[in-house]
């Protein structure tokens, strides 16, 4: 299967700061990547679909000005949580499509906002 | 709208067989996926069904009935390492995934 990496794996920041999370496809080109958020003991919630070279498509209820997504190349998508607050603390996971319609997930980034 | 339902928790004994059910209602259905997720880790792909019937892959099998909006994941010869959350996800055209709430499976010795 495809390999997707994320960086950082864990981040702790102060309230009001911005945090950037990188998602890379290591062995394939990904025109589309997906960003999910997962709160403890809950399932994955799709935040946005990241499209290479164009604007991301955000799900209803997700603030595009707060969660900035940039998909500047076929192997890299970034999610920036701007002016983070404690309620933004969560597990953020990216994924990319495989050839067989499945999605391959990155290892996730655990964000803690103090 | 889109809705996916799974049992929240299940418990089974090592060596046994367990079936995790998933019902879904979604527009533009294009396949049903099952993922395994251990605590604190990202989901890993288990199976994909787009046509009706049973797909078998080692100890794991997955079944789909499109007319009934129903799928199940069957785990045989349970091992302790199978304790995890199991997520079913419905894909629609455009490849958006909608995940169910996940079923936390506890395998007891």
């Amino acid at each position: 299967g495809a390999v997707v990496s994320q960086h950082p794996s864990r981040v702790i920041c102060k309230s009001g700061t911005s945090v950037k999370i990188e998602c890379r496809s290591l062995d394939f080109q990904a025109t589309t990547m997906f960003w999910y958020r997962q709160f403890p003991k809950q399932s994955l919630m799709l935040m946005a679909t990241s499209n290479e070279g164009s604007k991301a498509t955000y799900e209803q209820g997700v603030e595009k000005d707060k969660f900035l997504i940039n998909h500047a190349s076929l192997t890299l998508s970034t999610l920036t949580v701007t002016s983070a607050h404690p309620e933004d603390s969560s597990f953020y996971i990216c994924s990319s499509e495989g050839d067989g319609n499945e999605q391959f997930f990155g290892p996730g980034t655990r964000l803690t906002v103090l | 709208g889109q809705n996916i339902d799974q049992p929240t928790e299940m418990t089974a004994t090592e060596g046994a067989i367990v079936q995790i059910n998933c019902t879904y209602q979604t527009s533009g259905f294009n396949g049903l996926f099952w993922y395994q997720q251990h605590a604190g880790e990202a989901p890993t792909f288990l199976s994909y069904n787009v046509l009706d019937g049973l797909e078998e892959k080692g100890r794991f099998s997955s079944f789909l009935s499109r007319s009934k909006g129903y799928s199940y994941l069957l785990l045989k010869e349970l091992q302790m390492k199978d304790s995890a959350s199991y997520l079913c996800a419905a894909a629609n055209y455009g490849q958006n995934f909608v995940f169910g709430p996940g079923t936390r499976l506890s395998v007891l010795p």
Side-chain angles (χ1 to χ4, degrees):
Chain A
V3 179
V4 177
S5 71
Q6 272 184 251
H7 177 79
S9 57
R10 290 179 180 270
V11 58
I12 301 173
C13 68
K14 292 183 179 180
S15 185
T17 60
S18 294
V19 175
K20 179 186 283 188
I21 302 170
E22 294 185 348
C23 178
R24 293 182 184 274
S25 57
L26 299 183
D27 55 358
F28 66 104
Q29 294 181 331
T31 56
T32 302
M33 289 185 172
F34 303 92
W35 286 96
Y36 294 86
R37 179 167 52 183
Q38 186 176 34
F39 292 106
K41 296 188 177 182
Q42 295 186 24
S43 191
L44 280 74
M45 296 298 295
L46 180 65
M47 298 176 66
T49 302
S50 172
N51 303 298
E52 188 268 336
S54 65
K55 292 183 179 180
T57 303
Y58 289 82
E59 295 300 300
Q60 191 173 8
V62 178
E63 299 175 57
K64 62 180 181 180
D65 294 330
K66 180 170 182 61
F67 298 99
L68 302 178
I69 291 174
N70 185 293
H71 196 153
S73 77
L74 288 171
T75 59
L76 174 64
S77 175
T78 60
L79 168 67
T80 301
V81 183
T82 62
S83 187
H85 288 96
E87 57 265 31
D88 298 325
S89 298
S90 187
F91 192 46
Y92 292 87
I93 309 174
C94 69
S95 72
S96 187
E97 286 182 323
D99 292 336
N101 296 333
E102 72 269 38
Q103 290 192 13
F104 294 99
F105 288 88
T109 298
R110 186 161 302 283
L111 171 64
T112 302
V113 184
L114 302 177
Chain B
Q2 301 184 94
N3 185 51
I4 299 185
D5 199 24
Q6 304 175 237
T8 305
E9 294 190 22
M10 297 184 71
T11 303
T13 306
E14 193 175 15
I17 299 173
V18 70
Q19 177 174 313
I20 304 175
N21 296 323
C22 172
T23 58
Y24 64 90
Q25 290 176 307
T26 182
S27 56
F29 178 76
N30 192 32
L32 196 291
F33 292 81
W34 283 95
Y35 285 84
Q36 180 191 62
Q37 186 179 27
H38 286 98
E41 299 180 11
T44 55
F45 171 77
L46 289 179
S47 68
Y48 169 58
N49 296 68
V50 66
L51 300 176
D52 285 358
L54 186 68
E55 294 279 345
E56 297 188 74
K57 189 184 295 184
R59 294 190 299 115
F60 293 2
S61 303
S62 58
F63 171 84
L64 176 68
S65 169
R66 295 178 69 124
S67 61
K68 295 182 179 179
Y70 167 70
S71 173
Y72 68 72
L73 179 70
L74 193 70
L75 294 77
K76 304 176 185 176
E77 301 170 15
L78 279 174
Q79 303 175 8
M80 299 297 290
K81 67 179 182 179
D82 297 330
S83 292
S85 286
Y86 291 86
L87 310 174
C88 72
N92 54 32
Y93 290 104
Q95 287 313 107
N96 285 349
F97 272 35
V98 178
F99 280 87
T103 298
R104 284 192 300 279
L105 174 65
S106 299
V107 180
L108 305 178

